[in-house]
Amino acid sequence: MSEHTFATLVSRWYERNARDLPWRVPGVGAWAILVSEVMLQQTPVVRVLPAYEAWLARWPTPAALAADTPAEAIRMWGRLGYPRRAMRLHDCAVAIVERHGGEVPDRLEQLLALPGVGTYTARAVAAFAYGQRHPVVDTNVRRVVCRAVAGEPDAGPATRPADLVATEELLPVEPAAAALASAAFMELGAVVCTARSPRCAACPVESICAWRASGQVAPAGPTRRPQRYAGTDRQVRGLLLAVLREASGPVPRQRLDQVWTDDVQRSRALAGLVTDGLVEPAGGESFRLAGDGPPTPAPALDA
Protein backbone atom coordinates (compact mmCIF):
# COMPACT_ATOMS: atom_id res chain seq x y z
CA MET A 1 0.00 0.00 0.00
CA SER A 2 1.25 3.50 -0.83
CA GLU A 3 1.46 5.53 2.36
CA HIS A 4 1.01 8.72 0.36
CA THR A 5 -2.13 7.39 -1.32
CA PHE A 6 -3.65 6.15 1.94
CA ALA A 7 -3.12 9.41 3.84
CA THR A 8 -4.24 11.52 0.87
CA LEU A 9 -7.46 9.59 0.34
CA VAL A 10 -8.42 9.68 4.02
CA SER A 11 -7.45 13.34 4.41
CA ARG A 12 -9.52 14.38 1.39
CA TRP A 13 -12.47 12.43 2.76
CA TYR A 14 -12.03 14.12 6.14
CA GLU A 15 -12.00 17.60 4.65
CA ARG A 16 -15.41 16.89 3.06
CA ASN A 17 -17.02 14.85 5.84
CA ALA A 18 -15.52 15.75 9.22
CA ARG A 19 -18.01 16.44 11.98
CA ASP A 20 -18.32 20.08 13.00
CA LEU A 21 -16.83 20.01 16.52
CA PRO A 22 -15.73 23.03 18.56
CA TRP A 23 -12.21 21.76 19.24
CA ARG A 24 -11.66 21.54 15.46
CA VAL A 25 -12.43 25.19 14.78
CA PRO A 26 -9.38 26.85 13.13
CA GLY A 27 -7.34 28.75 15.66
CA VAL A 28 -8.67 26.98 18.74
CA GLY A 29 -6.01 27.06 21.44
CA ALA A 30 -3.90 24.27 22.86
CA TRP A 31 -5.66 24.44 26.24
CA ALA A 32 -9.05 23.86 24.62
CA ILE A 33 -7.64 20.90 22.70
CA LEU A 34 -6.08 19.44 25.85
CA VAL A 35 -9.42 19.76 27.68
CA SER A 36 -11.26 18.07 24.81
CA GLU A 37 -8.82 15.18 24.61
CA VAL A 38 -9.06 14.48 28.34
CA MET A 39 -12.86 14.66 28.27
CA LEU A 40 -13.13 12.41 25.21
CA GLN A 41 -11.30 9.54 26.89
CA GLN A 42 -13.86 6.71 27.21
CA THR A 43 -16.71 9.21 26.73
CA PRO A 44 -18.91 9.77 23.64
CA VAL A 45 -18.77 13.11 21.84
CA VAL A 46 -22.45 13.83 22.50
CA ARG A 47 -21.85 13.77 26.26
CA VAL A 48 -18.62 15.74 26.06
CA LEU A 49 -19.93 18.70 24.06
CA PRO A 50 -21.95 20.49 26.81
CA ALA A 51 -19.34 19.73 29.47
CA TYR A 52 -16.53 21.00 27.24
CA GLU A 53 -18.29 24.27 26.47
CA ALA A 54 -19.22 24.88 30.12
CA TRP A 55 -15.68 24.08 31.30
CA LEU A 56 -14.00 26.51 28.90
CA ALA A 57 -16.58 29.21 29.59
CA ARG A 58 -15.58 29.04 33.25
CA TRP A 59 -11.86 28.30 32.83
CA PRO A 60 -10.70 29.57 29.42
CA THR A 61 -7.03 29.30 30.40
CA PRO A 62 -4.89 27.00 32.54
CA ALA A 63 -4.31 29.90 34.94
CA ALA A 64 -8.04 30.32 35.52
CA LEU A 65 -8.43 26.67 36.50
CA ALA A 66 -5.23 26.61 38.56
CA ALA A 67 -6.52 29.54 40.62
CA ASP A 68 -9.64 27.60 41.54
CA THR A 69 -9.90 24.59 43.86
CA PRO A 70 -9.79 20.92 42.87
CA ALA A 71 -13.25 20.64 44.44
CA GLU A 72 -14.68 23.05 41.88
CA ALA A 73 -13.13 21.03 39.07
CA ILE A 74 -14.83 17.90 40.41
CA ARG A 75 -18.15 19.74 40.74
CA MET A 76 -17.90 21.08 37.22
CA TRP A 77 -17.14 17.62 35.88
CA GLY A 78 -20.63 16.58 36.93
CA ARG A 79 -21.70 13.16 35.65
CA LEU A 80 -19.24 12.96 32.77
CA GLY A 81 -17.74 9.84 34.30
CA TYR A 82 -14.24 8.85 35.45
CA PRO A 83 -13.96 11.99 37.64
CA ARG A 84 -10.25 11.51 38.27
CA ARG A 85 -9.87 13.19 34.89
CA ALA A 86 -11.07 16.43 36.50
CA MET A 87 -8.28 16.17 39.04
CA ARG A 88 -5.76 15.48 36.28
CA LEU A 89 -6.85 18.57 34.39
CA HIS A 90 -6.54 20.66 37.55
CA ASP A 91 -3.09 19.22 38.26
CA CYS A 92 -2.16 19.89 34.63
CA ALA A 93 -3.29 23.48 34.88
CA VAL A 94 -1.21 24.04 38.02
CA ALA A 95 1.87 22.49 36.37
CA ILE A 96 1.39 24.54 33.20
CA VAL A 97 1.26 27.74 35.23
CA GLU A 98 4.25 26.80 37.40
CA ARG A 99 6.48 25.35 34.68
CA HIS A 100 5.42 27.07 31.47
CA GLY A 101 4.08 30.49 32.40
CA GLY A 102 0.47 29.46 31.81
CA GLU A 103 0.98 28.33 28.21
CA VAL A 104 0.48 24.70 27.17
CA PRO A 105 3.96 23.56 26.04
CA ASP A 106 4.54 22.58 22.43
CA ARG A 107 7.36 20.07 22.92
CA LEU A 108 6.36 16.44 23.18
CA GLU A 109 8.65 15.68 26.11
CA GLN A 110 7.22 18.62 28.07
CA LEU A 111 3.67 17.51 27.35
CA LEU A 112 4.49 13.98 28.49
CA ALA A 113 5.87 15.40 31.75
CA LEU A 114 2.55 17.04 32.66
CA PRO A 115 0.52 15.26 35.38
CA GLY A 116 -1.83 12.64 33.96
CA VAL A 117 -0.82 13.24 30.32
CA GLY A 118 0.05 10.01 28.58
CA THR A 119 1.33 8.93 25.19
CA TYR A 120 -1.91 9.50 23.33
CA THR A 121 -2.90 12.86 24.84
CA ALA A 122 0.57 14.37 24.49
CA ARG A 123 0.79 13.44 20.81
CA ALA A 124 -2.77 14.59 20.16
CA VAL A 125 -2.05 18.06 21.58
CA ALA A 126 1.27 18.31 19.72
CA ALA A 127 -0.41 17.35 16.44
CA PHE A 128 -3.79 19.08 16.66
CA ALA A 129 -2.73 22.23 18.53
CA TYR A 130 0.74 22.73 17.09
CA GLY A 131 0.59 20.95 13.73
CA GLN A 132 3.43 18.57 14.46
CA ARG A 133 4.11 15.17 12.91
CA HIS A 134 3.39 12.50 15.53
CA PRO A 135 1.44 9.23 15.36
CA VAL A 136 -1.77 9.91 17.31
CA VAL A 137 -3.07 6.44 18.11
CA ASP A 138 -6.35 5.72 19.87
CA THR A 139 -8.70 2.74 19.56
CA ASN A 140 -10.22 4.07 16.35
CA VAL A 141 -6.87 4.67 14.67
CA ARG A 142 -5.54 1.26 15.69
CA ARG A 143 -8.61 -0.38 14.16
CA VAL A 144 -8.29 1.54 10.88
CA VAL A 145 -4.59 0.76 10.48
CA CYS A 146 -4.98 -2.86 11.57
CA ARG A 147 -7.76 -3.48 9.08
CA ALA A 148 -6.50 -1.45 6.14
CA VAL A 149 -2.83 -2.41 6.37
CA ALA A 150 -2.61 -5.73 8.22
CA GLY A 151 -5.95 -7.15 7.11
CA GLU A 152 -6.92 -8.01 10.68
CA PRO A 153 -10.38 -7.27 12.14
CA ASP A 154 -9.29 -6.03 15.56
CA ALA A 155 -6.13 -4.41 16.90
CA GLY A 156 -6.45 -5.73 20.46
CA PRO A 157 -7.24 -4.01 23.76
CA ALA A 158 -4.17 -1.80 24.24
CA THR A 159 -1.81 0.37 22.20
CA ARG A 160 1.57 -1.23 21.54
CA PRO A 161 4.81 0.32 20.25
CA ALA A 162 4.16 -1.47 16.96
CA ASP A 163 0.90 0.48 16.58
CA LEU A 164 2.78 3.78 16.81
CA VAL A 165 5.29 2.61 14.22
CA ALA A 166 2.62 1.34 11.81
CA THR A 167 0.65 4.58 12.07
CA GLU A 168 3.69 6.82 11.70
CA GLU A 169 4.62 5.01 8.50
CA LEU A 170 1.31 6.15 6.99
CA LEU A 171 1.81 9.84 7.80
CA PRO A 172 2.97 12.35 5.19
CA VAL A 173 6.41 13.83 5.76
CA GLU A 174 5.19 17.43 5.92
CA PRO A 175 4.06 18.17 9.52
CA ALA A 176 0.82 20.01 8.75
CA ALA A 177 -0.29 17.30 6.32
CA ALA A 178 0.63 14.66 8.90
CA ALA A 179 -1.45 16.41 11.59
CA LEU A 180 -4.41 16.54 9.21
CA ALA A 181 -3.99 12.85 8.40
CA SER A 182 -3.90 11.98 12.10
CA ALA A 183 -7.25 13.69 12.64
CA ALA A 184 -8.60 12.02 9.50
CA PHE A 185 -7.57 8.50 10.58
CA MET A 186 -9.31 9.04 13.91
CA GLU A 187 -12.50 10.34 12.32
CA LEU A 188 -12.61 7.47 9.84
CA GLY A 189 -12.49 4.94 12.69
CA ALA A 190 -15.09 6.81 14.71
CA VAL A 191 -17.78 7.14 12.04
CA VAL A 192 -17.04 4.68 9.20
CA CYS A 193 -14.60 1.92 10.19
CA THR A 194 -16.45 1.20 13.41
CA ALA A 195 -15.95 -1.88 15.54
CA ARG A 196 -19.36 -3.51 15.14
CA SER A 197 -20.93 -2.14 11.95
CA PRO A 198 -18.30 -0.78 9.55
CA ARG A 199 -19.69 1.13 6.57
CA CYS A 200 -17.17 -0.12 4.03
CA ALA A 201 -19.10 1.23 1.05
CA ALA A 202 -18.57 4.76 2.41
CA CYS A 203 -14.86 4.28 3.14
CA PRO A 204 -12.37 6.31 1.06
CA VAL A 205 -9.80 3.48 1.18
CA GLU A 206 -12.14 0.56 0.50
CA SER A 207 -10.32 -0.30 -2.73
CA ILE A 208 -6.94 -0.67 -1.00
CA CYS A 209 -8.10 -2.08 2.35
CA ALA A 210 -6.43 -5.40 3.17
CA TRP A 211 -9.29 -6.48 5.44
CA ARG A 212 -11.85 -5.76 2.75
CA ALA A 213 -9.77 -7.73 0.23
CA SER A 214 -9.61 -10.68 2.62
CA GLY A 215 -13.40 -10.91 2.74
CA GLN A 216 -13.71 -9.14 6.12
CA VAL A 217 -12.90 -12.21 8.18
CA ALA A 218 -14.56 -11.95 11.60
CA PRO A 219 -12.44 -11.81 14.80
CA ALA A 220 -11.38 -15.21 16.14
CA GLY A 221 -12.20 -14.34 19.75
CA PRO A 222 -15.33 -12.99 21.42
CA THR A 223 -16.39 -9.42 20.72
CA ARG A 224 -15.67 -7.11 23.63
CA ARG A 225 -18.77 -5.80 25.34
CA PRO A 226 -19.24 -2.57 27.29
CA GLN A 227 -18.47 -2.86 30.98
CA ARG A 228 -21.44 -3.35 33.29
CA TYR A 229 -22.25 -0.26 35.38
CA ALA A 230 -25.38 -1.01 37.44
CA GLY A 231 -24.53 -2.32 40.90
CA THR A 232 -20.79 -1.78 40.55
CA ASP A 233 -18.48 0.24 42.78
CA ARG A 234 -18.38 2.81 39.95
CA GLN A 235 -22.09 3.40 40.39
CA VAL A 236 -21.76 3.75 44.16
CA ARG A 237 -18.83 6.15 43.78
CA GLY A 238 -20.94 8.23 41.42
CA LEU A 239 -23.80 8.38 43.89
CA LEU A 240 -21.50 9.45 46.71
CA LEU A 241 -19.86 12.12 44.55
CA ALA A 242 -23.26 13.45 43.49
CA VAL A 243 -24.14 14.16 47.13
CA LEU A 244 -20.77 15.79 47.81
CA ARG A 245 -20.89 17.92 44.64
CA GLU A 246 -24.24 19.37 45.59
CA ALA A 247 -23.18 20.20 49.16
CA SER A 248 -21.82 23.60 50.10
CA GLY A 249 -19.77 22.18 52.96
CA PRO A 250 -18.82 18.93 54.72
CA VAL A 251 -21.33 16.10 54.48
CA PRO A 252 -21.92 13.86 57.52
CA ARG A 253 -21.26 10.20 56.91
CA GLN A 254 -24.82 9.49 58.01
CA ARG A 255 -26.03 11.35 54.91
CA LEU A 256 -23.66 9.41 52.66
CA ASP A 257 -24.86 6.14 54.19
CA GLN A 258 -28.26 6.79 52.65
CA VAL A 259 -27.11 6.50 49.02
CA TRP A 260 -26.50 2.71 49.06
CA THR A 261 -27.78 -0.06 51.28
CA ASP A 262 -24.75 -2.38 51.10
CA ASP A 263 -22.53 -1.14 53.95
CA VAL A 264 -19.43 -3.01 52.81
CA GLN A 265 -19.63 -1.86 49.20
CA ARG A 266 -20.47 1.71 50.17
CA SER A 267 -17.54 1.92 52.58
CA ARG A 268 -15.24 0.42 49.96
CA ALA A 269 -16.39 2.97 47.37
CA LEU A 270 -15.92 5.85 49.81
CA ALA A 271 -12.47 4.62 50.78
CA GLY A 272 -11.58 4.41 47.08
CA LEU A 273 -12.64 8.01 46.53
CA VAL A 274 -10.43 9.11 49.42
CA THR A 275 -7.49 7.05 48.13
CA ASP A 276 -7.91 8.53 44.66
CA GLY A 277 -7.79 12.05 46.08
CA LEU A 278 -11.29 12.98 44.99
CA VAL A 279 -12.73 13.13 48.52
CA GLU A 280 -11.14 14.04 51.83
CA PRO A 281 -12.13 13.77 55.51
CA ALA A 282 -13.62 16.92 57.01
CA GLY A 283 -13.55 15.91 60.68
CA GLY A 284 -16.28 14.53 62.89
CA GLU A 285 -17.10 11.65 60.53
CA SER A 286 -17.77 14.07 57.68
CA PHE A 287 -16.38 14.25 54.15
CA ARG A 288 -16.02 16.83 51.39
CA LEU A 289 -14.63 17.14 47.90
CA ALA A 290 -10.85 17.39 47.72
CA GLY A 291 -9.56 20.91 48.27
CA ASP A 292 -12.84 22.21 49.61
CA GLY A 293 -11.39 23.22 52.96
CA PRO A 294 -8.38 22.87 55.28
CA PRO A 295 -6.95 19.36 55.85
CA THR A 296 -8.21 17.34 58.81
CA PRO A 297 -7.24 13.96 60.27
CA ALA A 298 -8.77 10.99 58.49
CA PRO A 299 -11.48 9.03 60.36
CA ALA A 300 -11.77 5.26 60.11
CA LEU A 301 -13.50 4.11 56.93
CA ASP A 302 -14.64 0.72 58.19
CA ALA A 303 -18.34 -0.08 57.83
Side-chain angles (χ1 to χ4, degrees), residues 145 149 161-171:
V145 174
V149 178
D163 296 320
L164 294 171
V165 173
T167 303
E168 186 169 16
E169 289 177 348
L170 295 173
L171 296 178

Side-chain angles (χ1 to χ4, degrees), residues 31 60-64 66 92-105 130:
W31 170 242
T61 65
C92 255
V94 171
I96 289 168
V97 170
E98 293 177 348
R99 303 175 194 173
H100 305 289
E103 298 294 329
V104 177
Y130 296 114

Side-chain angles (χ1 to χ4, degrees), residues 264-295:
V264 173
Q265 187 178 24
R266 187 183 62 250
S267 291
R268 182 173 65 240
L270 180 58
L273 290 170
V274 172
T275 299
D276 290 344
L278 292 162
V279 173
E280 62 187 20
E285 285 291 312
S286 295
F287 295 85
R288 64 190 169 212
L289 295 178
D292 220 10

Side-chain angles (χ1 to χ4, degrees), residues 25-284:
V25 174
V28 69
W31 170 242
I33 290 174
L34 174 58
V35 170
S36 74
E37 290 297 341
V38 172
M39 287 187 169
L40 286 164
Q41 294 166 11
Q42 299 179 285
T43 308
V45 167
V46 67
R47 292 188 60 206
V48 166
L49 282 169
Y52 167 86
E53 292 169 351
W55 187 281
L56 289 178
R58 180 168 181 176
W59 299 306
T61 65
L65 177 56
D68 217 329
T69 65
E72 287 306 303
I74 299 169
R75 283 195 176 95
M76 198 69 177
W77 198 259
R79 295 185 176 275
L80 199 57
Y82 302 99
R84 276 179 289 180
R85 292 179 293 170
M87 295 290 289
R88 290 174 191 153
L89 269 176
H90 188 274
D91 291 343
C92 255
V94 171
I96 289 168
V97 170
E98 293 177 348
R99 303 175 194 173
H100 305 289
E103 298 294 329
V104 177
D106 60 358
R107 290 167 50 189
L108 183 61
E109 61 270 24
Q110 292 175 328
L111 288 165
L112 286 167
L114 292 174
V117 172
T119 297
Y120 165 78
T121 303
R123 284 169 170 77
V125 173
F128 304 148
Y130 296 114
Q132 298 176 11
R133 185 183 188 275
H134 296 289
V136 183
V137 182
D138 69 351
T139 300
N140 291 316
V141 173
R142 287 192 297 113
R143 184 169 56 254
V144 166
V145 174
C146 188
R147 286 176 175 173
V149 178
E152 299 293 334
D154 196 338
T159 300
R160 304 162 300 171
D163 296 320
L164 294 171
V165 173
T167 303
E168 186 169 16
E169 289 177 348
L170 295 173
L171 296 178
V173 174
E174 201 276 317
L180 175 64
S182 290
F185 296 168
M186 193 175 302
E187 184 78 346
L188 186 66
V191 302
V192 173
C193 192
T194 57
R196 295 178 182 272
S197 303
R199 299 188 296 116
C200 294
C203 181
V205 292
E206 178 192 15
S207 63
I208 56 175
C209 174
W211 186 52
R212 184 71 162 163
S214 73
Q216 295 174 282
V217 179
T223 301
R224 283 174 290 161
R225 297 180 178 179
Q227 293 181 344
R228 180 175 62 90
Y229 179 74
T232 64
D233 283 6
R234 275 189 61 211
Q235 182 184 15
V236 183
R237 285 164 60 101
L239 294 170
L240 292 168
L241 278 178
V243 173
L244 292 163
R245 279 198 307 268
E246 294 167 3
S248 58
V251 177
R253 181 161 185 165
Q254 184 179 9
R255 169 69 183 89
L256 295 174
D257 287 346
Q258 297 173 18
V259 307
W260 199 255
T261 57
D262 186 326
D263 293 343
V264 173
Q265 187 178 24
R266 187 183 62 250
S267 291
R268 182 173 65 240
L270 180 58
L273 290 170
V274 172
T275 299
D276 290 344
L278 292 162
V279 173
E280 62 187 20

